[in-house]
């Protein structure tokens, strides 16, 4: 299952980069872990960008559990434009994309991609109820 999710995420990310390169408006994608499918694609709004920026600003540390991807829930991929600087305990990266990992039984997790496509997982404290409402989750 994890392998399927990773492959699907890679394909989604390749797709979003090609759309941006062609000059199209970046899209927010909602991936349902249970089904292994993208269930919603929407234009990225300023509200979504700001909510993710606030989540990044509230990072408390690196995610320490072995598997950051739950079996059920959602992954919400948000291209960040402008990119957001993340400085956390010796880490200084420019995040170009964020994925908010929603699980019904755990706190959300932030998965950030830097400009070199390296992945980082973080815990954060910001209340993402506005983001959930905006994306109808």
């Amino acid at each position: 299952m994890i392998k399927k999710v990773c492959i699907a995420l890679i394909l989604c990310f390749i797709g979003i980069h090609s759309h941006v390169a062609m000059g199209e408006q970046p899209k927010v994608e909602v991936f349902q872990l249970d089904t292994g499918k993208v269930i919603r694609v929407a234009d990225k709004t300023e509200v979504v960008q700001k909510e993710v920026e606030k989540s990044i600003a509230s990072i408390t540390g690196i995610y320490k559990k072995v598997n950051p991807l739950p079996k059920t829930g959602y992954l919400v991929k948000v291209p960040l434009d402008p990119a957001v600087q993340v400085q956390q305990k010796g880490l200084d990266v420019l995040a170009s994309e964020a994925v908010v990992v929603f699980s019904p039984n755990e706190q959300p997790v932030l998965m950030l991609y830097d400009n070199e496509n390296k992945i980082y997982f973080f815990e954060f404290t910001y209340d993402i109820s506005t983001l959930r409402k905006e994306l109808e989750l």
Side-chain angles (χ1 to χ4, degrees):
M1 178 65 175
I2 292 175
K3 188 174 183 177
K4 284 182 184 179
V5 171
C6 290
I7 291 169
L9 281 173
I10 290 168
L11 292 175
C12 288
F13 290 122
I14 291 169
I16 198 74
H17 287 300
S18 64
H19 292 304
V20 172
M22 294 185 314
E24 294 179 20
Q25 172 69 26
K27 304 287 185 188
V28 173
E29 295 183 15
V30 179
F31 181 86
Q32 187 173 28
L33 291 165
D34 307 38
T35 63
K37 296 180 181 178
V38 174
I39 61 166
R40 185 175 300 119
V41 177
D43 288 335
K44 186 187 77 169
T45 65
E46 188 175 327
V47 170
V48 170
Q49 172 85 19
K50 294 294 181 196
E51 288 298 298
V52 172
E53 288 176 2
K54 290 174 184 177
S55 297
I56 292 170
S58 75
I59 287 174
T60 57
I62 294 174
Y63 188 79
K64 295 177 181 87
K65 292 185 181 177
V66 174
N67 185 5
L69 298 178
K71 292 181 181 182
T72 61
Y74 301 96
L75 304 177
V76 177
K77 182 179 63 168
V78 180
L80 299 172
D81 185 23
V84 178
Q85 192 70 39
V86 179
Q87 295 176 321
Q88 180 67 31
K89 297 182 183 176
L91 181 66
D92 188 2
V93 297
L94 190 61
S96 59
E97 230 168 40
V99 176
V100 182
V101 180
F102 291 99
S103 171
N105 301 322
E106 295 185 30
Q107 289 294 107
V109 174
L110 271 174
M111 180 168 63
L112 300 177
Y113 284 79
D114 69 8
N115 54 354
E116 296 175 2
N117 284 328
K118 291 181 185 172
I119 302 172
Y120 304 90
F121 290 92
F122 296 101
E123 297 173 338
F124 65 101
T125 59
Y126 184 71
D127 178 7
I128 53 172
S129 56
T130 301
L131 180 63
R132 282 180 176 268
K133 184 177 178 182
E134 182 77 9
L135 298 173
E136 300 174 4
L137 293 176

